[in-house]
């Protein structure tokens, strides 16, 4: 299989994405007062969930999470780190959001690239980039008994930054301009958009002319 560029770079970007997503999952487990097993479970689900879904869809089986020791161990390291060194309770929510945004930016890029390398067209590759970026967060929220941020109107936009980052990668591939610098910029674009959404409260619109009398759920 032809790689768009150095596979070692992609590997370490995957590791970085797994780590920051696992940190966000472990921090949410701390906020939910989970025990050490719950912290490790949420860290692993958040770090590996999106990549597992992507690999199964594109036929990269067994998934990298089960064939690369680094992928498997990284969430556990993140869980240990959070278990002993998590910030003060009042700072946990902010930390979860920052690490989640970083993982979103990294995984929308690496997910799009890997899907394209396995023969998918650019639109489908970008869609799997979104799934890679959002899948772990959705699984984390479900396991923590929360409505996923991806689906909540009362939360800042979550999917849009990943869509923008993944689409930027697809465009760079189409133009033949994908390299470590432009890929880093695409990841930074998704990351910054998510942070701006959190800072300024950007939300996606709800249904046009919505007149439901049902109470909004927080």
């Amino acid at each position: 299989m032809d790689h768009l560029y150095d596979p070692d770079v992609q590997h370490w970007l995957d590791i970085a994405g797994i780590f920051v997503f696992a940190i966000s999952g472990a921090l949410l487990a701390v906020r939910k007062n989970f025990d050490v097993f719950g912290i490790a479970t949420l860290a692993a689900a958040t770090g590996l969930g999106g990549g597992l879904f992507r690999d199964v869809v594109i036929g990269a089986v067994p998934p990298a999470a089960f064939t690369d020791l680094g992928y498997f161990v990284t969430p556990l390291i993140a869980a240990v780190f959070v278990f002993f060194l998590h910030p003060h309770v009042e700072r946990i929510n902010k930390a979860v959001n920052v690490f989640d945004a970083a993982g979103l930016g990294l995984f929308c890029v690496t997910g799009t690239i890997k899907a394209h390398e396995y023969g998918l067209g650019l639109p489908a590759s970008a869609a799997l980039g979104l799934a890679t970026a959002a899948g772990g967060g959705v699984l984390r929220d479900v396991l923590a008994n929360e409505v996923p941020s991806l689906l909540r109107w009362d939360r800042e936009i979550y999917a849009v930054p990943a869509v923008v980052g993944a689409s930027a990668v697809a465009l760079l591939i189409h133009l033949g301009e994908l390299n470590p610098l432009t890929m880093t910029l695409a990841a930074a674009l998704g990351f910054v958009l998510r942070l701006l959404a959190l800072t300024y409260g950007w939300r996606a619109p709800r249904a046009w002319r919505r007149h439901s009398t049902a109470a909004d759920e927080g």
Side-chain angles (χ1 to χ4, degrees):
M1 180 188 306
D2 293 331
H3 290 278
L4 293 172
Y5 68 96
D6 191 346
D8 287 337
V9 175
Q10 294 186 45
H11 176 267
W12 286 110
L13 283 172
D14 267 341
I15 293 293
I18 290 169
F19 183 77
V20 294
F21 256 152
I23 288 284
S24 80
L27 286 170
L28 180 59
V30 171
R31 181 165 68 83
K32 289 284 188 174
N33 203 30
F34 288 3
D35 63 14
V36 62
F37 182 77
I39 293 172
T41 298
L42 222 57
T46 312
L48 301 174
L52 283 171
F53 176 79
R54 174 202 62 210
D55 287 352
V56 170
V57 170
I58 65 179
V61 291
F66 296 104
T67 59
D68 188 309
L69 186 61
Y71 283 48
F72 187 80
V73 170
T74 298
L76 301 181
I77 295 173
V80 171
F81 178 81
V82 170
F83 182 81
F84 288 106
L85 300 175
H86 67 83
H88 297 295
V89 173
E90 65 269 18
R91 298 180 181 175
I92 287 179
N93 282 336
K94 182 177 180 180
V96 169
N97 289 331
V98 172
F99 279 105
D100 187 71
L104 196 77
L106 284 168
F107 271 5
C108 70
V109 171
T110 59
T112 302
I113 291 172
K114 187 167 184 178
H116 184 68
E117 287 179 340
Y118 273 77
L120 271 65
L122 292 178
S125 296
L128 267 186
L130 166 62
T132 306
V138 170
L139 185 56
R140 173 199 65 208
D141 291 343
V142 170
L143 290 174
N145 198 30
E146 294 192 350
V147 177
S149 297
L150 185 71
L151 305 178
R152 295 189 60 165
W153 75 268
D154 60 337
R155 295 288 179 86
E156 296 77 8
I157 53 173
Y158 190 87
V160 172
V163 170
V164 171
S167 298
V169 174
L171 179 61
L172 289 168
I173 294 172
H174 177 71
L175 297 174
E177 297 294 335
L178 188 71
N179 55 56
L181 175 60
T182 57
M183 190 181 72
T184 300
L185 292 175
L189 178 61
F191 174 62
V192 170
L193 280 177
R194 174 61 177 159
L195 287 186
L196 288 173
L198 290 167
T199 301
Y200 295 106
W202 295 346
R203 296 177 181 176
R206 288 189 284 173
W208 187 53
R209 293 183 176 179
R210 177 179 178 271
H211 298 300
S212 173
T213 59
D216 291 330
E217 294 184 2

